[in-house]
Amino acid sequence: MAKRIQFSETGTPDVLQYVDYQPQDPQAGEVQVENKAIGINYIDTYVRSGLYAPASLPAGLGTEAAGVVSKVGSSVTDIKPGDRVVYAQSAPGAYSEFHNVPQEKISLLPDAISFEQAAASFLKGLTVYYLLRKTHEVQAGETILFHAAAGGVGLIACQWAKALGVKLIGTVGSDEKAERARQAGAWETINYQKEDIATRVAELTNGEKVGVVYDSVGKDTFEKSLNSLKRRGLLVSFGNASGPVKGVDLAILNQKGSLFVTRPSLNGYVTNREELAEASSELFSLIASGAIKVDVSDAQKFPLSGAKRAHETLESRVTQGSSLLIP
C-alpha cells in the first residue's frame, strides 16, 4: 500500500483526502516513478475546484514530480529502474508516493539538478520556454510585460528573460514581491496595488507601450493588458488566477489598435518526446549554468498529507516562487 491525495467532489481545499491506495504495475509504454518531490501548480486548483472538470470522480491530482524509476512497462527501452527522472503533463495523480507516467512525458534528470529543483521548475520552466521561445520569440533589447512576476512561473520568466537580454516589466502585489522579482532579473516592476498598470507601462516605455503581454491572471487584468499594448501588439493569455475572461467583444481589439490575442497551452507546443527533449535541454542548461536559480523556501514545502494547507496557501496569493509536496 502507498499514500496519495484524491478528491471525491470538486470544491475548496477541504475536498482533498489523504488516502491509502495500491499502486498498479505500469502498462506497456509506461514508467512507474517513486516520487521524491511533487510540484504544486495553480492549474491543480482549477481541477480541484471544478473549473477544469476531472474525467471522473474520485480523482487524483497533480501532473508534475521528480523521483526515481521503480518499474517500467513493456516496450520501454531507454528508461530503466533506478534512473533519476522528472515529468510533467502526466495524467492527474502525481500527488502520490508512486505514479505511472507515459514514457514520452519523462525526462532523464541530470545529476547536477536536485529532485526539489526539478519538481519546482519543470512544468513552470517548460511554460516559460513555450511562452518566450515559441508563442512569441522574444528578442534581445525587447521590452515585455509579464503579470505575476513573483510567482513560480514569473520568477523563472524574470531570469530567462534577463539571460536573453530582454527587458521584463513584472507586475506584483506588494513591495516585497517587487524586490523578489527585481532580484530575479526583472528590468522594472509595477505594484498594481499602488500603480495603474497601463499608465506605468507607458511611462516606462516613453509612451511606446509593449509589443507583448503575458497574462496568467485573467479576468482582473485583461483590459489592463490590452491597454498596455502598442499597435498590433499581442496578448498571450495563459491562465485564470482571478477567474476566466468571459464575454469579450472582439471589436475591442480593433478599437485598441488592431491587437492580437492568443490562448496557448504547453500541450500545443510540447507534443512528443523530441519536442520535450528540446525544451528540457534548454531549461536544464540554464539551471545548471546558474542563469536560472530554483530555490524553494521551507515555508512552501509541505508533506504529502498537507496538500489541503498547500492549496490554501497558494490561493491566498502570499506565496513567492514554487511550492512542493514532499512524500
Side-chain angles (χ1 to χ4, degrees), residues 32-255:
Q32 184 178 90
V33 180
E34 181 180 0
N35 292 329
K36 300 298 184 182
I38 301 162
I40 303 172
N41 294 285
Y42 215 94
I43 193 171
D44 302 341
T45 70
Y46 299 162
V47 176
R48 185 215 69 226
S49 69
L51 178 61
Y52 294 170
S56 61
L57 293 170
L61 194 61
T63 62
E64 172 185 38
V68 177
V69 174
S70 54
K71 298 178 181 179
V72 298
S74 61
S75 76
V76 175
T77 58
D78 58 344
I79 301 169
K80 63 185 184 302
D83 281 345
R84 301 173 78 254
V85 297
V86 60
Y87 62 87
Q89 297 179 280
S90 72
Y95 286 17
S96 59
E97 293 180 339
F98 295 88
H99 190 38
N100 294 344
V101 183
Q103 63 178 331
E104 62 267 20
K105 304 295 185 183
I106 294 278
S107 284
L108 294 172
L109 185 61
D111 290 339
I113 300 173
S114 72
F115 294 125
E116 291 190 2
Q117 286 178 309
S121 67
F122 196 52
L123 182 57
K124 298 174 183 68
L126 294 180
T127 298
V128 175
Y129 167 82
Y130 88 76
L131 291 173
L132 299 188
R133 306 293 283 152
K134 297 295 183 180
T135 304
H136 169 82
E137 188 171 0
V138 296
Q139 303 296 319
E142 183 176 5
T143 303
I144 66 175
L145 179 66
F146 205 102
H147 289 297
V153 171
L155 288 175
I156 293 175
C158 288
Q159 297 175 81
W160 206 319
K162 184 179 180 180
L164 294 171
V166 173
K167 296 179 177 179
L168 183 148
I169 303 171
T171 70
V172 294
S174 70
D175 291 341
E176 181 186 6
K177 289 186 175 184
E179 179 60 25
R180 183 78 186 277
R182 282 194 294 269
Q183 289 175 351
W187 174 64
E188 289 285 357
T189 58
I190 299 171
N191 184 342
Y192 58 78
Q193 302 286 4
K194 299 179 178 180
E195 303 171 288
D196 178 75
I197 292 172
T199 299
R200 185 62 179 141
V201 167
E203 291 172 355
L204 290 169
T205 59
N206 297 318
E208 289 188 10
K209 303 186 179 181
V210 296
V212 60
V213 176
Y214 295 97
D215 190 340
S216 62
V217 179
K219 176 172 62 68
D220 289 354
T221 51
F222 181 69
E223 190 158 357
K224 298 179 178 71
S225 294
L226 295 180
N227 291 338
S228 299
L229 286 166
K230 64 177 66 173
R231 183 166 55 98
R232 299 199 302 274
L234 170 67
L235 170 57
V236 182
S237 174
F238 68 101
N240 310 294
S242 67
V245 177
K246 296 180 178 179
V248 176
D249 179 1
L250 290 179
I252 195 173
L253 302 178
N254 175 37
Q255 295 162 10

Side-chain angles (χ1 to χ4, degrees), residues 256-269:
K256 292 183 181 295
S258 297
L259 303 178
F260 296 85
V261 176
T262 185
R263 184 62 170 86
S265 72
L266 181 58
N267 289 328
Y269 289 89

